[in-house]
Amino acid sequence: MDRDERYDRSERAERLTRYLTELQERIDPRSLELLMRLLRELSTSPAVRGGTYELGMGPEEKELFTPALQAELLVLFGLLTSQDERVVVDLGDSPHAKGMKVLVPQERAGDPDFLHRHKQRVAAEAEQRERDRREVEGIARASGMEP
């Protein structure tokens, strides 16, 4: 790791720390606890390398996970993983996600073609996950297991 890379990591860590400190003052402790758990989960998921990932949450957590909290998670994830400035963009509804939000480079946030392609890619991945889930459930039933 060279000196510039260490500086970039240190700068990112400082930005993340400042944001977390400010966030602690703005949101309730249960929501902050959920954010931290989800951020840990995301940081070891395929999403780190640009993939998609479905978060595991129980009913109470889903209720806490409001659109505003979803946006905060994306901001934190961006601060943790990205060297450049990222912004949260609402892509709207898709067949598998209502109010889909993504983190994109600031300079691409106003590019409708880029955002449309991004939405299509995310929707296609969600559709593939749903097909895979149904196939696995079918295999489980055919094998005498309960899905």
Side-chain angles (χ1 to χ4, degrees), residues 4-57:
D4 288 339
E5 190 176 345
R6 279 193 304 270
Y7 176 76
D8 287 343
R9 283 182 141 185
S10 174
E11 185 179 320
R12 275 195 319 221
E14 179 59 33
R15 283 190 325 212
L16 181 61
T17 300
R18 280 193 313 264
Y19 195 83
L20 283 170
T21 300
E22 183 243 316
L23 196 58
Q24 285 178 311
E25 297 170 7
R26 288 192 293 120
I27 66 173
D28 68 277
R30 286 179 45 226
S31 295
L32 184 63
E33 184 180 317
L34 175 61
L35 274 179
M36 294 295 88
R37 183 185 72 74
L38 294 175
L39 188 61
R40 282 189 299 277
E41 187 177 321
L42 269 175
S43 68
T44 58
S45 77
V48 171
R49 294 174 299 285
T52 58
Y53 182 74
E54 190 170 324
L55 297 167
M57 289 185 280

Side-chain angles (χ1 to χ4, degrees), residues 1-138:
M1 182 182 326
D2 66 12
R3 183 180 170 143
D4 288 339
E5 190 176 345
R6 279 193 304 270
Y7 176 76
D8 287 343
R9 283 182 141 185
S10 174
E11 185 179 320
R12 275 195 319 221
E14 179 59 33
R15 283 190 325 212
L16 181 61
T17 300
R18 280 193 313 264
Y19 195 83
L20 283 170
T21 300
E22 183 243 316
L23 196 58
Q24 285 178 311
E25 297 170 7
R26 288 192 293 120
I27 66 173
D28 68 277
R30 286 179 45 226
S31 295
L32 184 63
E33 184 180 317
L34 175 61
L35 274 179
M36 294 295 88
R37 183 185 72 74
L38 294 175
L39 188 61
R40 282 189 299 277
E41 187 177 321
L42 269 175
S43 68
T44 58
S45 77
V48 171
R49 294 174 299 285
T52 58
Y53 182 74
E54 190 170 324
L55 297 167
M57 289 185 280
E60 281 184 34
E61 291 175 322
K62 285 181 181 178
E63 191 175 313
L64 277 176
F65 200 52
T66 63
L69 207 61
Q70 293 169 33
E72 293 294 357
L73 180 61
L74 285 172
V75 169
L76 289 170
F77 188 67
L79 288 169
L80 182 67
T81 62
S82 180
Q83 293 180 10
D84 58 349
E85 287 294 317
R86 301 275 172 148
V87 294
V88 176
V89 176
D90 188 344
L91 294 179
D93 295 344
S94 75
H96 295 282
K98 184 174 181 173
M100 186 186 332
K101 292 175 179 42
V102 294
L103 199 59
V104 298
Q106 192 167 8
E107 65 275 4
R108 303 300 299 267
D111 181 344
D113 291 333
F114 171 79
L115 296 176
H116 181 71
R117 286 190 311 272
H118 197 76
K119 182 177 181 176
Q120 286 180 318
R121 181 184 63 83
V122 172
E125 289 172 356
E127 288 173 20
Q128 183 61 51
R129 279 194 309 275
E130 180 61 23
R131 283 192 299 273
D132 292 348
R133 184 190 63 74
R134 285 194 308 263
E135 184 174 345
V136 167
E137 285 179 356

